[in-house]
Amino acid sequence: MTIYVSNSVTKQLDEYVEFLMTTYQYRMEEAETRRWEVEYQITKHCNPILMKAGTSGTMKFKSVLQRQEIERLGNNRSQLMNIIKRRRGTYGNTQWNIDYFVSNQGNVYITAINCYNSTYEIKNSENRLLINESQLRSIIREAIRRLLRA
């Protein structure tokens, strides 16, 4: 009985680490510690022994480590685990939703992960808006070229 994580979840975590480094100027070690926190929370909440075979659903948790703690205790994982266990998701402003399903053999499959953070959502919506504007520009250019050819 193990936990399997899909590639889309790994990519989402990579994007989150990149977001932390570009927007909040996290150092690589700090951003990776934040990633480790999310991975630890996944293994803590999706323990195959506690999961019921043949079920699926969504789990929610919050990031609880604060940046000062990450800067101070970044290399001391046991101390950080104690903080995570003690806080139970009450301090963070980043909400994580995990979609999972459990096979009949008891293996847990993490299929999707979503991050809800006001700054992260604004940044992602800006990127989507820029993509839509660029697509619109290319459509307009193509339409003008077709009109000029006719």
Side-chain angles (χ1 to χ4, degrees):
M1 296 190 285
T2 57
I3 298 175
Y4 295 99
V5 179
S6 73
N7 288 336
S8 63
V9 172
T10 306
K11 288 178 186 175
Q12 181 73 21
L13 289 175
D14 290 341
E15 289 175 10
Y16 186 67
V17 166
E18 184 66 29
F19 163 75
L20 290 174
M21 291 190 311
T22 56
T23 304
Y24 291 122
Q25 282 70 45
Y26 271 58
R27 293 188 322 259
M28 180 59 125
E29 301 82 27
E30 294 170 344
E32 287 298 326
T33 301
R34 185 67 75 184
R35 172 204 280 274
W36 170 83
E37 177 192 4
V38 172
E39 291 171 350
Y40 174 75
Q41 295 257 28
I42 289 172
T43 57
K44 178 181 162 193
H45 287 87
C46 296
N47 188 338
I49 295 169
L50 302 175
M51 306 294 279
K52 196 175 200 180
T55 60
S56 64
T58 302
M59 287 198 172
K60 298 180 181 185
F61 63 87
K62 286 186 177 181
S63 297
V64 297
L65 295 176
Q66 295 181 1
R67 187 160 182 188
Q68 303 88 335
E69 294 164 339
I70 292 173
E71 290 173 357
R72 194 177 71 236
L73 303 168
N75 295 328
N76 191 346
R77 302 286 185 187
S78 61
Q79 193 78 359
L80 292 173
M81 284 191 307
N82 289 337
I83 294 170
I84 294 169
K85 289 177 183 175
R86 189 171 58 238
R87 292 221 176 122
R88 301 186 190 276
T90 56
Y91 284 86
N93 63 348
T94 304
Q95 173 79 39
W96 294 93
N97 291 347
I98 298 172
D99 294 335
Y100 70 92
F101 75 90
V102 184
S103 69
N104 291 335
Q105 294 79 23
N107 295 324
V108 179
Y109 295 90
I110 308 299
T111 57
I113 188 167
N114 294 312
C115 168
Y116 298 98
N117 174 321
S118 58
T119 309
Y120 189 64
E121 288 179 18
I122 290 169
K123 186 82 168 166
N124 282 343
S125 64
E126 286 174 0
N127 288 343
R128 279 189 229 113
L129 182 62
L130 291 175
I131 290 170
N132 291 338
E133 287 176 3
S134 67
Q135 289 172 342
L136 183 60
R137 279 191 214 109
S138 65
I139 291 169
I140 291 171
R141 285 183 192 139
E142 185 62 31
I144 291 173
R145 282 187 198 131
R146 286 182 186 169
L147 288 173
L148 293 176
R149 287 184 198 156

